[in-house]
Amino acid sequence: MLTASVAPWFFYARPAAPKITGWGDTGYITAPTAGNRILEETTVSAQLSAGVKDASFKVSNGSKEIRLETSIAGRVASAKLTADILAQLGEAANGKITLYSGEEKLAEITVIYNIPEKEPDPYLVDDFESYYGADAMLSSAWATNKASGSNITLSLDAEAGRAQEGYAMKFAYSETSGGWAGATITKEVDWSACNALQFWTIPDGKKQKAVIQIQANDTCYEVYPNQYEDYTARAGKPTLVTIPFSEFGQRDTQGNPKGGLGKDCVSVSSFGLWVNAVDNEFFEGDTVSGTIWYDNITAVQTDATEVSFTDPQAEHVHAYQKVIQKATRKKNGSIVNVCTGCGDTKGKKVIYPAKSVSLKSYRFHYNQKAQKPTVTVKDAKGNRIPKAYYKVVYKNNKKPGNATVIVSLKSKYYSYKGNFKKNFEILP
């Protein structure tokens, strides 16, 4: 009988290990970080692979490119972006820093040159001007979400008639039956000084379910403009929309009760714009597509009690927004209601510099509880300052001995903290 002979495993040849001859020239920029605002002289640096011998940086503002004097130490390249070069670049939202090996591009990042960040406006959701026409900046601020089979594209549009002023956001969607798409932006603010939301828009007339959404106090509030005939009637026309907070309903509560936002607006956390697909004559096959423009989305104080959709060029209706000018140590501040449309003002209140702090009582007897004497803060005119304007902290205020009250002025109303201190005594 014939039998097969099997050789031991070590008789078989092993496959040869791959031979690595090199990865070529590579590198990445380590400083600054992509998206940074560069407002003063700064150092640019990059990590290089072993094969890079002739590395350099170039900076660009979109129309002008300048090579930086670059030095290499080991595998690190560095260069100084000087104040002079920064001045030559001017203001640029689409600035770039590029790393080269000879003339081969190794890495590139986008940065912002000479454009400081705006002082945040607590009532403004977005006017779309702070992105300077850069869609990438818009996309980093607004987070998009969509159902399977749906699509959404956000972009900035400055074409005449498509923005109230400057840039507007172009909200383009494509959805299948039952689909949805939208975008949200974080906005952690107190809107208790306002009673309505106002924005400029161009409806697309596709009769889909447009959603205006405010998240406040862990509750989702929504309004659906398409449910109003006046909104549908303004398809393709620039429209100023004013929605009192009282018209927002609770999305996740049975019956969608209205009225809660008037109280919960003290703790707003985000704002959203959505479109939900509604099967109708505007579907082409199994898809509906449309575009809506939005601009100058803001919370306002208004006398309006109903939702309105008006021609921005029609007779002006005031919509006031509270503007705070902080008081300094030597100069008065103010709180005034300013119309977002025409600049009309009303209800001005002066904020005088804080001058003195006093306690209702300076002596207590130990009772195993924390002692918190009532604090009175007065301004330079001798008027009592409201509690909302300052913060009180008590220290060592439970056991016998000396205790301290520290009063700090809130940065919303004052440009300085103050940090007034008062001592009181806890007797054994």
Side-chain angles (χ1 to χ4, degrees), residues 236-268:
K237 301 176 183 177
T239 303
L240 185 66
V241 182
T242 303
I243 308 175
F245 287 165
S246 58
E247 287 298 306
F248 282 82
Q250 297 181 27
R251 185 193 64 184
D252 303 320
T253 303
Q254 187 174 4
N256 309 120
K258 298 178 180 180
L261 184 58
K263 178 181 177 181
D264 287 344
C265 66
V266 70
S267 182
V268 172

Side-chain angles (χ1 to χ4, degrees), residues 360-402:
K360 185 175 182 179
S361 178
Y362 290 85
R363 183 171 293 178
F364 295 85
H365 288 280
Y366 175 66
N367 62 0
Q368 297 183 329
K369 296 180 181 180
Q371 303 298 331
K372 296 183 178 181
T374 302
V375 175
T376 299
V377 183
K378 292 187 176 182
D379 61 29
K381 292 288 186 179
N383 303 312
R384 181 174 292 191
I385 296 176
K387 292 181 181 179
Y389 288 36
Y390 57 86
K391 179 182 178 181
V392 178
V393 175
Y394 297 90
K395 290 190 174 183
N396 304 318
N397 61 324
K398 188 172 182 180
K399 296 181 180 180
N402 292 322

Side-chain angles (χ1 to χ4, degrees), residues 47-354:
Q47 187 71 38
L48 309 172
S49 68
V52 180
K53 304 298 182 185
D54 181 23
S56 64
F57 294 100
K58 290 182 181 180
V59 292
S60 169
N61 61 4
S63 59
K64 176 187 293 186
E65 189 174 56
I66 302 173
R67 185 182 294 272
L68 303 183
E69 186 176 333
T70 306
S71 60
I72 301 176
R75 296 188 180 182
V76 176
S78 62
K80 188 72 71 175
L81 175 49
T82 65
D84 178 62
I85 293 176
L86 198 55
Q88 293 180 55
L89 293 170
E91 293 186 353
N94 60 340
K96 288 182 171 53
I97 299 176
T98 309
L99 172 66
Y100 287 89
S101 175
E103 294 303 316
E104 179 187 356
K105 183 188 293 186
L106 300 184
E108 185 175 83
I109 62 172
T110 300
V111 294
I112 303 169
Y113 294 124
N114 299 309
I115 302 176
E117 194 165 6
K118 283 185 177 180
E119 183 76 19
D121 180 343
Y123 306 113
L124 182 67
V125 175
D126 213 333
D127 62 3
F128 306 104
E129 303 305 313
S130 61
Y131 310 120
Y132 304 94
D135 290 342
M137 294 177 66
L138 174 71
S139 297
S140 68
W142 288 79
T144 58
N145 198 359
K146 61 186 179 63
S148 176
S150 298
N151 288 293
I152 175 174
T153 302
L154 303 182
S155 59
L156 295 163
D157 195 340
E159 186 174 331
R162 291 185 175 176
Q164 188 173 23
E165 56 184 349
Y167 290 96
M169 181 171 74
K170 182 179 179 181
F171 182 112
Y173 64 89
S174 176
E175 299 174 0
T176 54
S177 179
W180 51 267
T184 59
I185 186 170
T186 299
K187 190 70 178 177
E188 297 183 351
V189 288
D190 176 358
W191 279 355
S192 58
C194 303
N195 64 359
L197 181 79
Q198 190 173 81
F199 58 92
W200 183 97
T201 185
I202 302 178
D204 64 1
K206 297 297 181 72
K207 298 180 182 179
Q208 302 302 296
K209 185 178 181 180
V211 181
I212 310 301
Q213 182 185 88
I214 297 174
Q215 295 277 354
N217 198 23
D218 298 322
T219 303
C220 182
Y221 290 95
E222 294 184 344
V223 164
Y224 313 114
N226 60 292
Q227 294 181 347
Y228 298 84
E229 290 183 4
D230 289 348
Y231 176 78
T232 304
R234 293 200 62 81
K237 301 176 183 177
T239 303
L240 185 66
V241 182
T242 303
I243 308 175
F245 287 165
S246 58
E247 287 298 306
F248 282 82
Q250 297 181 27
R251 185 193 64 184
D252 303 320
T253 303
Q254 187 174 4
N256 309 120
K258 298 178 180 180
L261 184 58
K263 178 181 177 181
D264 287 344
C265 66
V266 70
S267 182
V268 172
S269 57
S270 70
F271 176 84
L273 298 167
W274 302 84
V275 171
N276 296 350
V278 176
D279 291 335
N280 61 18
E281 68 274 20
F282 293 100
F283 265 73
E284 296 182 4
D286 61 353
T287 303
V288 64
S289 300
T291 302
I292 305 172
W293 284 265
Y294 293 100
D295 201 0
N296 290 328
I297 307 169
T298 186
V300 298
Q301 176 69 35
T302 178
D303 296 330
T305 57
E306 297 180 347
V307 179
S308 64
F309 305 92
T310 60
D311 183 345
Q313 304 302 320
E315 183 178 352
H316 179 63
V317 177
H318 292 304
Y320 291 95
Q321 186 178 90
K322 183 183 290 186
V323 176
I324 300 174
Q325 180 69 40
K326 299 178 184 179
T328 68
R329 294 181 186 274
K330 296 182 178 180
K331 188 176 179 181
N332 299 337
S334 64
I335 301 175
V336 62
N337 293 310
V338 180
C339 178
T340 58
C342 68
D344 182 63
T345 62
K346 71 173 185 178
K348 183 175 181 179
K349 179 181 180 181
V350 177
I351 305 174
Y352 296 103

Side-chain angles (χ1 to χ4, degrees), residues 5-77:
S5 177
V6 180
W9 64 268
F10 49 80
F11 276 65
Y12 291 101
R14 297 182 181 180
K19 184 177 181 180
I20 300 175
T21 58
W23 296 107
D25 291 354
T26 61
Y28 58 92
I29 298 170
T30 55
T33 305
N36 271 14
R37 294 176 187 269
I38 301 179
L39 309 176
E40 57 187 18
E41 183 174 297
T42 190
T43 298
V44 180
S45 60
Q47 187 71 38
L48 309 172
S49 68
V52 180
K53 304 298 182 185
D54 181 23
S56 64
F57 294 100
K58 290 182 181 180
V59 292
S60 169
N61 61 4
S63 59
K64 176 187 293 186
E65 189 174 56
I66 302 173
R67 185 182 294 272
L68 303 183
E69 186 176 333
T70 306
S71 60
I72 301 176
R75 296 188 180 182
V76 176

